[in-house]
Amino acid sequence: MMTTARSADSGLAGPGELDRYPYAEAPAGERAAVRSWDGPDSELGRVGRRGSASRGRGLHGQLVQQLGQMIVSGDLGADRPLVPEEIGQRFEVSRTVVRESLRVLEAKGLVSARPNVGTRVRPVSDWNLLDPDIIEWRAFGPQRDDQRRELGDLRWTIEPLAARLAAGHGREDLQQRLVDMVEIMGHALGQGDMITCARADAEFHSLLIQAAGNRMLEHLSGIVSAALQVSGGPATACDRPSDASVALHARIVEALASGDSAGAEASMRQLLVGHHEVERVVPAPREH
C-alpha cells in the first residue's frame, strides 16, 4: 500500500533504494535547489504528513489525488520542480506509478515536463479549471470561496438555457426519468434520507442538460455534476429539506412536458436563486 509519509525520523531511502527510481537527474543547478521532502522546512514534507487520500483509487489514483491537492492548495507553488525519484521515495511507489501520475497531472494542465528542465508546477492560468478533479480540489482548499462563486455563475449560465432548450425537444424517455427523480427526491425528503435525495437531485440536473439536445451543453454535464457535489448547490439542498425545492423541480418537469420553454427557464432560475440565498457548508469530499 502506498503510504503518504515516512516517519519524521526515517530519512530518505536506504542505500540502493534509489535504483528503483532510475530517472534522469534534473540539471545540477536546479537539483541543488530542490529541498528534501523530509526537510524541516519543506512544504512537500509537511503536506505529505496529512491523512491518506486513498478513497479507493489505487496507488496511481492516490498519488494523483495527493499531488493534485498539494498543487491546487498552493503548497506546491508555480514553477516548483517535481523530482520523480523524490516522489517515488516519499510515497513509496514505483517509477511506473510516478510517471503515469505525472502524465495525468500534465493532461490537467497542472504540471509540464520539458527536456533539460524537468517537471514543474504550472501557473493557475494554465490549469484546466473545468476538470472535475480540479473543481473538487479547489472546493476543498483555500480557493473554496472563489470556486463556489465561479461554479454558481457557471450554473446560472448553463442550466436555465438547458431548461429552455429541453422544453422544445420532447425527449419522452428523459422526461420520464426526470419525473422519477422528482418522485425519489420527494420520497427521500419525507424519509429524511439525505444521501438518496442528493443523488436524485444531481441526476435530475444531469438529465436536464442531456435533454437540451445540445452536444456542447451535454459536454458540460460532468462539470455541473461536480459542482453539485462540492459547491453547496442543489445536491446539498437536502441538508435543509424543503418541499418548495422539490416543487420547483416538479414545475420544471411540467413545463418541459407542455413545451413551455419560458416557464422551464424561469423555474430553473428561481430554483438556483433560492439555493444561492441559503448559506451552506461545503460537504466532505466524494467517496469513490
Side-chain angles (χ1 to χ4, degrees), residues 55-99:
R55 304 174 57 186
R57 296 176 178 224
L59 293 177
H60 165 263
Q62 291 177 47
L63 187 57
V64 169
Q65 177 79 6
Q66 186 77 358
L67 293 176
Q69 289 176 329
M70 292 163 70
I71 293 169
V72 170
S73 67
D75 289 301
L76 294 177
D79 207 35
R80 177 68 159 81
L82 300 177
V83 181
E85 65 267 27
E86 291 190 356
I87 296 175
Q89 291 176 53
R90 181 63 187 174
F91 295 98
E92 298 182 344
V93 294
S94 71
R95 63 176 181 265
T96 299
V97 171
V98 175
R99 181 175 60 248

